Amino acid sequence: MRMSPKPVQTFRDDFTYSNSPGAVARFPFPFPEDEYRYSVNIEPHVTPGPEGSVFEFLLDIDEHYLSEMAERATVLEENPKRCLAMPHMDLACWDMIERCMTSLAADYPEHFSLQVDGDQWTWENRLLNIKDSFTFGDSSTLPLPPMEYMGRQVQGDFALLDQRDGDLFLDAGIVTCPADWSLAFDAGMSFSEWHGPVPLAHEMGVFDRALKYLTAIPVGRPVRRLNWTLTVNARMDTSPETYPNWGTDRASVTADNVGEKVHLRVELQVLDRMPRSNALMFSIRTFLISFDDLVTNPDWARRMHRVLKTLPPELIEYKGLGRYHDLAVEWLSRFDPAN
């Protein structure tokens, strides 16, 4: 089911965010088995994927588009440093503009259009009432720096990874809905450095294999993976910079409000090679679903219980679930006939 954007809902304060039945049906549930363990779970992002699914196109636009763009604007107003691009990444930022604009115009022509006459481009985003003409490659002809201009019009966080010396470096990005990581802190880090805090995976060689795979991605062959955690309340911005705003949320979960408060947070991560700069465009599209909505699918409810019940202690701690993990497992147990 393709989703049309609905009026703005909130990811903070009164948390008016909700999923329609259609949004629940297309949610990218991330667990293929009853136990979760780290793996190099990367696969080709072949498009078009199944019609109406989150995998149909390179970039997914759904009913939360206007809400997420409003949240992004709020975060950037609070902290402009949540968007940055090092000077040598200018060409990569224009690569991103081309990839996003051409994809959106082709896949969602009812919402976006692009006219190209040599290096003279005209872009229209009817959802946000934006129409701009500019000279491709000339940042002075845009109303905002290239990364911010495009980043304010696409759902999910974006990072541009510069590839050099056989490694990947996080040298540009717009990150306003992260799962407990900071663009300002990680900027300039190598692939292994920004994954340093992750437990177990280093010992298993997961990141060494992943880096070898990612540095070999060719142009026109994007890949994807799903990542997950749990979030209390429908809060998009769980960055270290805003920890005072959300850290105490974890203590607010009780046996009576698990279904309402605890959300499965899934990231659809896509890596796409840019043709001019050779950078990798790394999109991190976040989906949230409350446990109340999740358990409307009996298969998901049963598997979610088994995944959390068997989660290693190191991952419980790393994902910040310690305060409410047992409550969540107990609440989900009623949906697992084998319990």
Side-chain angles (χ1 to χ4, degrees):
M1 179 183 296
R2 290 183 181 149
M3 308 302 298
S4 297
K6 60 185 182 182
V8 172
Q9 296 178 324
T10 57
F11 299 98
R12 57 179 66 205
D13 301 326
D14 55 351
F15 296 105
T16 61
Y17 169 90
S18 65
N19 283 306
S20 69
V24 172
R26 73 195 297 270
F27 186 84
F29 189 72
F31 305 114
E33 300 175 350
D34 287 346
E35 292 188 12
Y36 172 76
R37 296 292 184 270
Y38 278 121
S39 64
V40 184
N41 60 328
I42 301 173
E43 61 182 0
H45 188 45
V46 178
T47 56
E51 184 175 348
S53 75
V54 303
F55 307 115
E56 182 175 8
F57 300 127
L58 178 72
L59 304 171
D60 183 63
I61 301 296
D62 71 2
E63 67 181 18
H64 303 299
Y65 179 82
L66 296 177
S67 301
E68 291 187 33
M69 295 302 93
E71 170 71 6
R72 171 149 293 161
T74 297
V75 173
L76 290 175
E77 183 178 0
E78 293 172 344
N79 185 355
K81 292 183 180 179
R82 302 287 285 276
C83 178
L84 63 85
M86 298 180 185
H88 67 277
M89 297 300 287
D90 188 64
L91 184 60
C93 291
W94 281 100
D95 268 334
M96 175 179 162
I97 282 182
E98 179 182 46
R99 189 70 163 119
C100 291
M101 287 186 177
T102 55
S103 296
L104 292 172
D107 297 335
Y108 304 93
E110 69 275 25
H111 299 314
F112 308 96
S113 65
L114 177 65
Q115 298 176 12
V116 176
D117 182 10
D119 62 359
Q120 300 304 303
W121 290 32
T122 298
W123 166 251
E124 185 172 8
N125 177 338
R126 287 179 281 276
L127 291 172
L128 297 180
N129 297 315
I130 292 171
K131 186 172 184 179
D132 290 312
S133 296
F134 55 89
T135 301
F136 185 86
D138 183 351
S139 299
S140 69
T141 61
L142 286 175
L144 292 168
M147 169 60 75
E148 184 176 354
Y149 180 75
M150 196 69 253
R152 284 178 175 264
Q153 300 183 59
V154 282
Q155 286 175 266
D157 288 333
F158 281 75
L160 291 173
L161 312 180
D162 191 35
Q163 184 164 322
R164 57 185 185 269
D165 303 323
D167 209 337
L168 297 168
F169 296 84
L170 204 171
D171 288 350
I174 183 165
V175 178
T176 62
C177 50
D180 201 9
W181 67 280
S182 168
L183 173 65
F185 183 79
D186 289 353
M189 286 188 179
S190 68
F191 184 80
S192 60
E193 287 171 337
W194 86 71
H195 286 103
V198 182
L200 303 179
H202 290 280
E203 294 85 343
M204 297 166 61
V206 169
F207 292 125
D208 289 339
R209 297 195 301 275
L211 179 61
K212 185 176 180 180
Y213 184 96
L214 297 178
T215 54
I217 293 174
V219 173
R221 299 278 297 276
V223 300
R224 68 179 181 232
R225 67 183 294 266
L226 295 176
N227 193 27
W228 74 277
T229 189
L230 300 182
T231 296
V232 179
N233 297 320
R235 189 184 295 276
M236 276 287 188
D237 182 16
T238 56
S239 65
E241 290 92 336
T242 59
Y243 182 79
N245 299 334
W246 57 267
T248 57
D249 289 353
R250 295 167 174 173
S252 69
V253 180
T254 68
D256 296 325
N257 65 18
V258 169
E260 172 191 354
K261 277 197 166 277
V262 179
H263 289 67
L264 175 60
R265 180 189 191 105
V266 174
E267 297 173 348
L268 170 57
Q269 302 179 351
V270 176
L271 291 113
D272 190 19
R273 179 73 64 190
M274 299 291 95
R276 297 175 179 83
S277 61
N278 200 45
L280 277 179
M281 184 178 76
F282 180 26
S283 62
I284 309 166
R285 177 76 160 80
T286 297
F287 298 84
L288 293 171
I289 187 172
S290 69
F291 273 18
D292 275 341
D293 282 342
L294 184 147
V295 298
T296 61
N297 183 316
D299 292 336
W300 293 356
R302 181 175 61 252
R303 178 151 290 171
M304 191 79 241
H305 172 248
R306 296 176 185 183
V307 164
L308 288 184
K309 188 177 181 179
T310 59
L311 201 63
E314 298 92 338
L315 292 184
I316 294 173
E317 180 180 0
Y318 170 67
K319 291 181 179 291
L321 315 183
R323 285 201 167 191
Y324 59 91
H325 172 265
D326 291 346
L327 286 170
V329 171
E330 177 62 26
W331 188 87
L332 287 166
S333 66
R334 73 188 76 172
F335 304 100
D336 188 348
N339 184 61

